[in-house]
Amino acid sequence: MNVTSIIAFIFVFGVLVTVHEFGHFFVAKKSGVLVREFAIGMGPKLLSWNRNHTAYTIRILPVGGYVRMAGMDEEPDLDAGQRLRLTFNEQGKVTKIDTQIDEAGIGVPFQVDSFDLSDALTLTGYSDNATDMTTVHVDHDATIIEENGVEVQVAPRDVWLQSAKVWKRALINIAGPVMNFILALVIFSGVGFAIASVGLNEPIIGTVQKNMPADQAGLKAGDEITQIDRVKTTTWDQVANAIGNSKESQLNITVLRNGHKKQVEVRPKTVKINGVQTKQVGIIEKTHTDTISRLKYGLINTGATISQIWHALSHLFTGGFSLDKLGGPVSIAKTTSSVAKTGCLNILIFMAMLSLNLGIMNLIPIPALDGGKLILNLLEGILRRPLPQSFENAVTIVGAVFMIILMIAVTINDILR
């Protein structure tokens, strides 16, 4: 891969992940759930800043990202016996807990013996080499500077993901895939405005090429093709397929012209394109230049791509499972490299297709994915009581292990190919 391809891959992957995670982030915030960290990339942090109770981090590996919500795989923020540095407000409550005690900083030294940062919001221990144990209260919006330097909010139970109503959690889970669909729609609509004119997949002739079979048979621009032989046509794709794949030497084409039906006999011409024989009659789809049509172009292409992905996904299981039908980061990087050579517009179209792929794949009901989480939300809604945490954890772990094994297998298969 050259530098351009690498930049294109990072750009495409970065935008897709950012948009997906932003969906979870935005709805979680609106639902009153504390988002402790919004990370783009994985691994060690390159850059971090805090705003509105959330730590935003850019990490070194541009291969993913995550939204760290309070209550998700929550682990103790501190350890008994750990030395800290505390900052207090005027009311005597702790507003900042610095775990980087060995580095320069301001605050009161404190050795913690026990703590409760979920309900009571207290730290118990020894302050500044004192011999008597003391308990200090922690502000609801206090922050913790973790050992990796990222400053995050403490997580009181009332802002945990589990504390939100089940319908809000369902909205949070579905928000990521929805943002991928929206991104694709925006890109396809943008492409519609970027090109000279757009086709809306209508079975209407826009241009008849001179001295071609259609011209010789009397077909005209504006004719709506309703049937080819015995095959009804409602889209231009159906027209193209019916002509290109025809085995007949003569086609009976029914058109609607000025409100009247007319049948035309056309003898298609056999041509070879990229080594493949196909048939043509010399007609071009009708195109449009108005604003409404350009917006419709975005909707039509988004819907058509979703249909294609869904067909491929269903064929993955009904047509026999094979790793060759799947592609991981290596395959995406290779395809991105090829697309990058064809121009920015094609990169954007590829990004839109990938975005829809990501959105649909995340809706598959596998526990580690958003679709699996939605199933758990549905079960909780039906039962009208929270599912046992041990059950949710076990199901999620099984799903995560399955996805990791599948990703490793797909990546190895991509490399071998």
Side-chain angles (χ1 to χ4, degrees), residues 65-118:
Y66 57 88
V67 172
R68 181 176 159 197
M69 300 180 211
M72 289 179 60
D73 304 321
E74 202 67 41
E75 296 180 358
D77 293 301
L78 307 173
D79 295 311
Q82 186 175 5
R83 289 181 55 78
L84 312 169
R85 196 164 34 227
L86 307 180
T87 302
F88 294 84
N89 61 16
E90 294 180 354
Q91 289 73 38
K93 287 188 175 183
V94 177
T95 57
K96 184 175 294 184
I97 303 170
D98 190 351
T99 65
Q100 296 181 312
I101 191 70
D102 294 329
E103 298 186 19
I106 59 173
V108 178
F110 189 90
Q111 183 172 334
V112 65
D113 180 77
S114 62
F115 58 92
D116 182 353
L117 298 180
S118 300

Side-chain angles (χ1 to χ4, degrees), residues 161-184:
L161 177 62
Q162 295 91 323
S163 299
K165 292 181 179 180
V166 65
W167 65 269
K168 288 186 177 182
R169 279 179 275 139
L171 288 178
I172 292 170
N173 288 326
I174 203 173
V178 167
M179 283 302 297
N180 286 124
F181 296 142
I182 293 174
L183 173 63

